[in-house]
């Protein structure tokens, strides 16, 4: 019922927001009423009302060009793989300069796994833009669950893990290998995905970069952790899960609504947000367009939220924040073939591991991400590194000045140190696209993921649980 009330309130506010926007322009600079007394204050006040009442849609990445070796390179976004709950989005780079083209082709391939925790993947816009200078970049662009029809089925944390594995294999087929970077929430499912690939003997990513995630949420618990730990699983199921109302493609789907997550974000620092909006009002009066634009840019992203499928959200609460299955070694994941597999991070040996934390992170506390090193005991010490960013909060480790000046150089150096040179056919003619030549086609690597191989491996493995357990029964068993 709460979701329906929210939508009714939003629909009611829409004409008032439109009126506020029109009134702001009516009294704004250049209009016929701009010379009237208090017109600037009137315009600023109406503009603020408009932004407080408007509906925020999914933003665009909007990355048109980046600089590579001093040259401007054109960026084209494309959906490489479209899944029911996620798009694998690619940022393809183009240039006509042969020298720059040769640089682009030799650069490492990086899969950025964006968080599915309320905001869109565009929250990592600065991360992507910076990484594009020295890497081929792909990102997981998670879909708003209220736009996914019920016919597409459920989405669990297990499905998230399977998606990540599928994306990694896709890049390995394309280029021969890849690196993986996970930011915040996905550190846990990414570690699980790579652990399962290692246990099966599959080819692994060359490196794993894990930034500000709750690998072990017991360490330095934050307000976010405490909420998840102190409320029962039944409380979350009964108080924050609602069905998508009429009028959306996902009508009837059980979700954790984005507006509840946004309310929680704001409630963590209400004074800071109130001050930010008041400063925006004053900037409009003063005519400080640069500061006003910076405010709009931030809140256009911050206020744009998505719904999460209820099964995925509840699985995350239980697995990551209540039972701590990853660190206890008790996490079982249902793979794409319907088999139940145990997550064993200690089986990872071929990937290098970089963990990054912010000194002032109030979402993932100190030590939570670094805990990955205690789990990945098979990774040699020479291929592991931990970096704490002094003076950085949660968002500072992947966006803003500290990300660009402190964190990115560490990430770039680590990936470069653990990258293998890509080989291309020299007989191919030069082209303007960075990746027309597919290294994966030249360096095929076998994987035990075909149906026959999976069946053979399942028959040889000692029985743990039935490999034909339906989704709902397997989920109930793990609860």
């Amino acid at each position: 019922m709460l979701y329906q009330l929210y939508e009714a309130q939003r629909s009611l506010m829409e004409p008032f927001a439109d009126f506020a926007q029109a009134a702001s322009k009516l009294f704004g600079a250049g209009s016929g009423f701009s010379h009237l007394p208090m017109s600037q204050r009137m315009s600023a006040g109406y503009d603020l009302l408009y932004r407080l009442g408007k509906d925020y849609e999914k933003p665009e990445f909007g990355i048109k060009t980046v600089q590579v070796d001093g040259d401007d390179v054109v960026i084209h976004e494309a959906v490489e793989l479209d899944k029911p709950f996620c798009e694998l989005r690619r940022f393809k780079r183009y240039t006509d300069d042969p020298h720059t083209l040769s640089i682009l082709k030799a650069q490492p391939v990086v899969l950025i796994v964006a968080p599915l925790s309320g905001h869109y993947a565009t929250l990592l816009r600065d991360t992507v833009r910076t990484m594009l200078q020295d890497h081929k970049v792909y990102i997981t662009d998670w879909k708003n669950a209220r736009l996914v029809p019920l016919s597409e089925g459920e989405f669990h944390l297990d499905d998230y893990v399977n998606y990540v594995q599928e994306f990694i294999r896709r890049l390995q087929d394309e280029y021969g290998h890849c690196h993986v970077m996970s930011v915040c929430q996905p550190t846990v499912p990414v570690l699980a995905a790579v652990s399962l690939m290692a246990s099966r003997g599959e080819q692994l990513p060359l490196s794993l970069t894990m930034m500000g995630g709750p690998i072990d949420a017991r360490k330095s618990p934050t307000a976010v952790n405490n909420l998840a730990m102190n409320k029962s699983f039944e409380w979350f199921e009964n108080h924050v899960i609602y069905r998508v109302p009429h009028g959306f493609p996902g009508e009837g789907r059980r979700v954790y609504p984005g507006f509840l997550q946004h309310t929680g974000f704001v409630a963590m620092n209400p004074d800071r947000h109130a001050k930010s909006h008041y400063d925006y009002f004053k900037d409009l009066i003063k005519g400080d367009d640069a500061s006003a634009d910076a405010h709009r840019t931030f809140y256009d992203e911050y206020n744009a939220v998505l719904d999460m499928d209820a099964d995925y959200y509840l699985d995350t609460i239980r697995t990551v924040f209540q039972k701590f299955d990853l660190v206890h070694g008790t996490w079982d994941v249902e793979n794409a073939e319907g088999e139940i597999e145990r997550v064993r991070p200690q089986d990872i040996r071929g990937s290098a591991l970089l963990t990054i934390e912010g000194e002032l992170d109030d979402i993932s506390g100190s030590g939570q991400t670094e805990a990955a090193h205690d789990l990945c005991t098979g990774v040699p010490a020479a291929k592991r590194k931990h970096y704490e960013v002094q003076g950085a909060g949660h968002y500072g480790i992947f966006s803003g000045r500290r990300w660009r000046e402190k964190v990115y150089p560490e990430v770039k150096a680590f990936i470069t140190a653990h990258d293998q040179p890509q080989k291309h056919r020299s007989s191919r003619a030069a082209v303007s696209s960075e990746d027309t030549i597919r290294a994966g086609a030249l360096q095929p690597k076998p994987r035990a993921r075909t149906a026959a191989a999976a069946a053979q491996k399942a028959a040889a493995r000692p029985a743990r649980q039935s490999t034909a357990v339906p989704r709902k029964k397997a989920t109930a068993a793990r609860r």
Side-chain angles (χ1 to χ4, degrees):
M1 187 63 182
L2 181 63
Y3 206 143
Q4 284 80 358
L5 290 174
Y6 170 79
E7 281 301 313
Q9 178 266 338
R10 188 182 64 81
S11 299
L12 184 65
M13 285 294 298
E14 189 172 358
F16 290 98
D18 291 340
F19 169 79
Q21 182 184 32
S24 175
K25 294 178 179 179
L26 183 66
F27 291 100
S31 73
F33 295 92
S34 60
H35 63 281
L36 296 176
M38 303 291 290
S39 61
Q40 202 160 9
R41 284 182 174 273
M42 293 279 287
S43 176
Y46 278 121
D47 187 274
L48 182 59
L49 285 175
Y50 163 67
R51 293 195 60 80
L52 290 174
K54 73 184 291 284
D55 185 36
Y56 289 85
E57 298 180 351
K58 178 185 176 181
E60 296 181 353
F61 278 97
I63 304 174
K64 304 302 182 184
T65 62
V66 295
Q67 283 222 332
V68 177
D69 197 38
D71 291 330
D72 285 333
V73 173
V74 176
I75 305 299
H76 172 68
E77 280 186 46
V79 176
E80 184 77 4
L81 191 61
D82 190 3
K83 303 286 289 181
F85 291 86
C86 184
E87 294 176 342
L88 177 61
R89 189 167 294 273
R90 175 186 188 183
F91 297 87
K92 193 172 182 180
R93 302 173 298 177
Y94 288 88
T95 180
D96 293 325
D97 181 70
H99 172 69
T100 304
L101 180 61
S102 66
I103 294 175
L104 297 181
K105 289 180 178 179
Q107 290 177 342
V109 184
V110 179
L111 169 64
I112 300 177
V113 184
L116 177 53
S117 55
H119 284 115
Y120 290 96
T122 50
L123 190 69
L124 304 187
R125 182 184 296 103
D126 198 19
T127 314
V128 173
R129 182 187 293 111
T130 307
M131 292 290 292
L132 278 169
Q133 300 173 54
D134 305 286
H135 308 86
K136 300 181 179 76
V137 176
Y138 292 72
I139 195 169
T140 57
D141 192 3
W142 300 100
K143 297 181 181 180
N144 192 335
R146 74 178 182 180
L147 303 180
V148 181
L150 277 172
S151 59
E152 295 291 356
E154 302 169 345
F155 184 73
H156 291 253
L157 183 58
D158 291 1
D159 298 309
Y160 192 123
V161 173
N162 293 331
Y163 272 28
V164 171
Q165 293 179 83
E166 183 176 354
F167 296 155
I168 291 173
R169 296 183 194 115
R170 178 66 172 249
L171 298 191
Q172 289 173 341
D173 287 343
E174 183 84 5
Y175 301 99
H177 49 67
C178 71
H179 302 262
V180 177
M181 172 190 290
S182 54
V183 181
C184 190
Q185 167 272 324
T187 55
V188 174
V190 165
L191 185 56
V194 177
S195 298
L196 293 171
M197 295 176 74
S199 298
R200 300 187 204 108
E202 292 190 55
Q203 178 186 350
L204 303 184
L206 297 176
S207 73
L208 301 175
T209 299
M210 300 191 168
M211 307 172 65
I215 298 294
D216 187 350
R218 301 171 302 174
K219 297 178 180 290
S220 306
T222 64
V224 175
N225 304 144
N226 288 330
L227 174 64
M229 294 176 187
N230 296 332
K231 299 290 186 181
S232 69
F233 179 83
E234 290 71 24
W235 184 90
F236 285 99
E237 196 166 25
N238 295 328
H239 289 83
V240 300
I241 302 301
Y242 298 91
R243 292 194 180 275
V244 176
H246 175 73
F248 295 97
E251 177 182 349
R253 178 177 294 280
R254 293 171 68 246
V255 297
Y256 174 57
F259 67 84
L260 285 182
Q261 184 76 325
H262 179 262
T263 302
F265 289 145
V266 174
M268 290 178 63
N269 297 288
D271 295 340
R272 184 186 304 173
H273 291 290
K275 182 179 184 303
S276 178
H277 285 88
Y278 182 58
D279 289 342
Y280 173 67
F281 173 74
K282 292 191 295 183
D283 290 335
L284 290 174
I285 294 174
K286 292 185 297 184
D288 187 348
D289 294 335
S291 297
D293 285 341
H295 175 95
R296 294 190 193 99
T297 300
F298 175 80
Y299 279 99
D300 282 349
E301 193 72 57
Y302 190 82
N303 292 338
V305 290
L306 54 76
D307 296 350
M308 291 176 272
D309 187 271
D311 294 300
Y312 158 78
Y313 175 77
L314 293 173
D315 284 350
T316 301
I317 292 293
R318 179 181 54 247
T319 301
V320 180
F321 297 104
Q322 294 189 345
K323 296 178 67 177
F324 311 105
D325 283 332
L326 178 60
V327 292
H328 286 154
T330 57
W331 189 4
D332 292 325
V333 171
E334 183 180 341
N335 65 23
E337 287 78 29
E339 301 173 330
I340 305 299
E341 299 179 304
R342 177 60 55 91
V343 175
R344 293 172 49 84
Q346 62 268 33
D347 290 346
I348 300 175
R349 290 180 173 82
S351 300
L353 176 63
L354 171 64
T355 56
I356 298 173
E357 295 180 347
E359 179 191 19
L360 307 178
D361 195 330
D362 59 353
I363 294 180
S364 294
S366 176
Q368 292 188 11
T369 312
E370 188 179 9
H373 293 279
D374 298 329
L375 301 177
C376 299
T377 54
V379 179
K383 299 182 72 172
R384 287 197 249 152
K385 184 176 182 179
H386 177 69
Y387 178 57
E388 181 176 88
V389 189
Q390 299 299 313
H394 186 71
Y395 295 100
I397 62 176
F398 62 83
S399 181
R401 180 177 56 83
R402 285 189 177 87
W403 149 249
R404 292 188 294 270
E405 296 178 2
K406 294 184 177 181
V407 181
Y408 177 65
E410 294 285 338
V411 172
K412 177 185 174 183
F414 190 82
I415 291 176
T416 300
H418 298 94
D419 187 54
Q420 297 175 2
Q422 300 183 46
K423 297 179 181 178
H424 304 283
R425 291 178 183 171
S426 57
S427 60
R428 292 288 294 268
V431 291
S432 60
S433 170
E434 63 168 309
D435 52 4
T436 298
I437 301 171
R438 300 185 177 184
L442 308 180
Q443 303 174 8
K445 300 204 175 183
R447 290 197 315 263
R449 297 302 298 163
T450 63
Q456 182 179 2
K457 189 171 183 179
R461 182 171 51 229
R464 290 177 292 177
Q465 298 185 40
S466 171
T467 60
V469 178
R471 160 70 68 186
K472 292 183 178 179
K473 291 184 179 179
T475 303
R478 288 196 295 278
R479 288 183 183 174

